Amino acid sequence: MTNNHSVLFGTAGGTFLSVVSNITTEDLTRTAVLAAIGAIVSFTISTILKCILKKHEK
């Protein structure tokens, strides 16, 4: 198997450019909103679980 970096970089570059060209502002906004919601839910659930565990330890 030969080690041809130009083919590897060309394939990776083409894949990257095709993905980047298809990302819209709507997709970025949706991703940011879903990430924020996920972080809030995760924080809330872990805080509730900590409170529940503290009550059971007493």
Side-chain angles (χ1 to χ4, degrees), residues 8-58:
L8 176 67
F9 290 135
T11 303
T15 302
F16 176 74
L17 290 176
S18 68
V19 169
V20 169
S21 67
N22 288 323
I23 296 177
T24 63
T25 305
E26 181 182 330
D27 292 332
L28 293 175
T29 304
R30 182 183 309 133
T31 301
V33 169
L34 290 175
I37 291 171
I40 292 168
V41 169
S42 176
F43 177 77
T44 304
I45 295 298
S46 58
T47 304
I48 291 170
L49 288 175
K50 282 181 187 178
C51 290
I52 291 172
L53 289 176
K54 283 183 181 179
K55 287 180 183 180
H56 284 291
E57 288 177 357
K58 291 184 179 182

